[in-house]
């Protein structure tokens, strides 16, 4: 069902595994502003929306491309927790843990400027209160063939980080592990990050995060340096926005997968759309190169839509590809 080459099965084989998120589904307060105000200043938002975000974006991106998805993070009681649970149910995403009493789920304020770039400020809630009992429940819920996705946000949280690192170290060998270190990559304690990197089958990051992890500004050099740090068992994706993605398959050399030029209206959730699509396509048995090409297209689609959870369905992705050979390959693999 799975192997250390980074694939999850034969091409075209629909897998029994699921995407299990050891991350945080929170509420995003998204404010669109012409530009960020200067320090001490103020600016009027042109549009404000409240939506579920965080790890929810990855789960929906994978689910919309046909991969079963499970939220294995913590969640609270209160209006934000209720909203997160309702949106998970709406998207057909299972939950492992019961709500934490007397504390609500946290939220994030996301400022999206006129160029589509986003800047965040996060308030932690119940999702940052994982316990060893939670970890035991998650381990008991896993199935052969599952693919576990971890976010650096959780690893950076003082309570969650040690619990997650211990949990990851105990994962059965048949579980594939995917890490997105996220914007807090340089704030993850080494004693937490090291065992997670040791166990990872794939690491995906953007250029800034790649620089934080390797000290290299050049995307190709950062991808190669990260792959060298991780060893031949682990694959690397270094996302370079419109320039595409650098793929280093386990034990392989860096390969540039070109991006797609689109008019971006909102980059919030683009990396999550890329991650969710990549994992869904791997889960359907596609090789990493094809999965990255599909993920690049899914991310390009996502930035043309407003909102964080804007990963495409298979039909939307095929239409977006507009007759390209990749469209037929995805349709065949995903059974459209």
């Amino acid at each position: 069902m799975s192997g250390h080459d980074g694939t999850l099965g034969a091409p075209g084989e629909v897998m029994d595994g699921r995407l299990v998120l050891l991350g945080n589904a929170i509420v995003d307060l998204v404010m669109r502003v012409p530009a960020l105000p200067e320090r001490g200043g103020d600016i009027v938002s042109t549009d404000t929306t409240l939506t579920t975000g965080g790890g929810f974006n990855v789960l929906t991106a994978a689910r919309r491309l046909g991969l079963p998805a499970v939220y294995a993070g913590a969640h609270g009681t209160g209006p934000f927790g209720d909203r997160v649970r309702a949106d998970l149910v709406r998207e057909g995403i299972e939950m492992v843990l019961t709500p934490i009493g007397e504390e609500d789920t946290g939220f994030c304020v996301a400022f999206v400027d006129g160029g589509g770039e986003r800047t965040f400020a996060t308030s932690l809630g119940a999702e940052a209160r994982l316990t060893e009992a939670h970890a035991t429940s998650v381990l008991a819920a896993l199935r052969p063939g599952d693919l576990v996705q971890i976010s650096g946000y959780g690893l950076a949280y003082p309570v969650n980080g040690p619990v997650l690192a211990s949990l990851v170290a105990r994962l059965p060998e048949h579980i594939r592990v995917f890490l997105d270190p996220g914007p807090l990559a340089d704030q993850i304690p080494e004693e937490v990050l090291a065992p997670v990197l040791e166990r990872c089958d794939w690491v995906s990051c953007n250029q800034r995060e790649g620089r934080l992890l390797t000290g290299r500004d050049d995307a190709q050099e950062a991808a190669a340096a990260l792959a060298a740090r991780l060893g031949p068992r682990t694959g690397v994706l270094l996302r370079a926005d419109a320039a595409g993605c650098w793929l280093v398959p386990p034990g392989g050399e860096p390969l540039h997968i070109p991006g797609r030029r689109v008019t971006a209206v909102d980059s919030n959730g683009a990396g999550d759309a890329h991650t969710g699509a990549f994992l869904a396509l791997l889960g359907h048995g596609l090789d990493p190169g094809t999965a990255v090409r599909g993920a690049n297209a899914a991310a390009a689609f996502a930035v043309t839509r407003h909102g964080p959870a804007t990963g495409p369905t298979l039909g939307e992705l095929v239409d977006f590809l507009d007759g390209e050979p990749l469209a037929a390959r995805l349709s065949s693999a995903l059974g459209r």
Side-chain angles (χ1 to χ4, degrees), residues 2 26 31 56 96 140 159 163 165 209 248 261 268 284 291 325:
S2 61
I26 62 175
M31 303 182 71
F56 175 75
V96 173
V159 173
V163 174
E209 295 153 7
V248 187
R261 294 289 178 181
N268 191 18
H284 283 284

Side-chain angles (χ1 to χ4, degrees), residues 18-306:
R18 309 162 299 171
L19 171 59
V20 179
L21 179 78
L22 299 183
N24 310 299
I26 62 175
V27 170
D28 284 346
L29 175 63
V30 182
M31 303 182 71
R32 304 187 190 285
V33 295
L36 292 179
E38 63 180 350
R39 185 182 183 191
D42 192 1
I43 196 164
V44 176
S45 171
T46 59
D47 179 62
T48 301
T49 56
L50 198 66
T51 180
T52 300
F56 175 75
N57 303 335
V58 176
L59 291 168
T60 57
R63 186 74 185 91
R64 289 172 187 176
L65 291 177
L67 189 69
V70 178
Y71 177 56
H75 46 107
T77 50
F80 288 165
D82 291 343
R83 185 184 187 100
V84 166
R85 282 185 291 276
D87 285 343
L88 288 168
V89 169
R90 173 176 51 81
E91 291 285 343
I93 297 166
E94 300 176 40
M95 286 168 275
V96 173
L97 305 177
T98 57
I100 294 176
E102 300 181 358
E103 184 165 11
D104 203 355
T105 289
F107 65 95
C108 171
V109 179
F111 299 95
V112 183
D113 65 27
E117 186 55 271
R118 70 273 188 267
T119 304
F120 305 109
T122 301
S123 176
L124 304 183
E127 75 288 345
R129 302 290 184 265
L130 280 179
T131 66
E132 182 56 34
H134 290 144
T136 300
S137 296
V138 171
L139 286 168
L142 293 174
R143 302 174 186 170
D146 280 348
L147 200 158
V148 165
Q149 200 265 347
I150 308 166
S151 165
Y153 279 110
L155 297 179
Y157 295 164
V159 173
N160 286 21
V163 174
L164 288 171
S166 174
L167 192 164
V168 169
R170 288 177 283 160
L171 290 174
E173 185 64 20
H174 60 73
I175 299 294
R176 303 296 87 196
V177 181
F178 183 102
L179 170 68
D180 186 337
L184 302 181
D186 59 339
Q187 299 180 39
I188 303 171
E190 183 60 26
E191 64 270 21
V192 170
L193 182 61
V196 175
L197 291 179
E198 176 68 23
R199 182 59 180 82
C200 277
D201 295 275
W202 287 95
V203 173
S204 176
C205 60
N206 62 26
Q207 282 187 270
R208 175 184 176 275
E209 295 153 7
R211 183 178 71 252
L212 292 176
L213 292 170
T214 68
R216 308 293 183 90
D217 289 317
D218 179 80
Q220 180 179 2
E221 292 180 3
L226 185 55
R229 173 181 178 181
L230 296 170
R233 182 182 179 275
T234 306
V236 169
L237 304 178
L238 196 145
R239 308 184 305 271
D241 298 326
C245 181
W246 284 95
L247 163 68
V248 187
E253 297 296 323
L255 174 66
H256 181 240
I257 310 295
R260 294 171 178 274
R261 294 289 178 181
V262 295
T263 300
V265 299
D266 187 352
S267 66
N268 191 18
D272 293 333
H274 194 281
T275 293
F278 178 76
L279 296 177
L281 298 178
L282 277 187
H284 283 284
L286 289 164
D287 64 277
T290 303
V292 171
R293 288 176 174 85
N296 283 357
F301 175 94
V303 301
T304 65
R305 269 70 176 171
H306 288 294

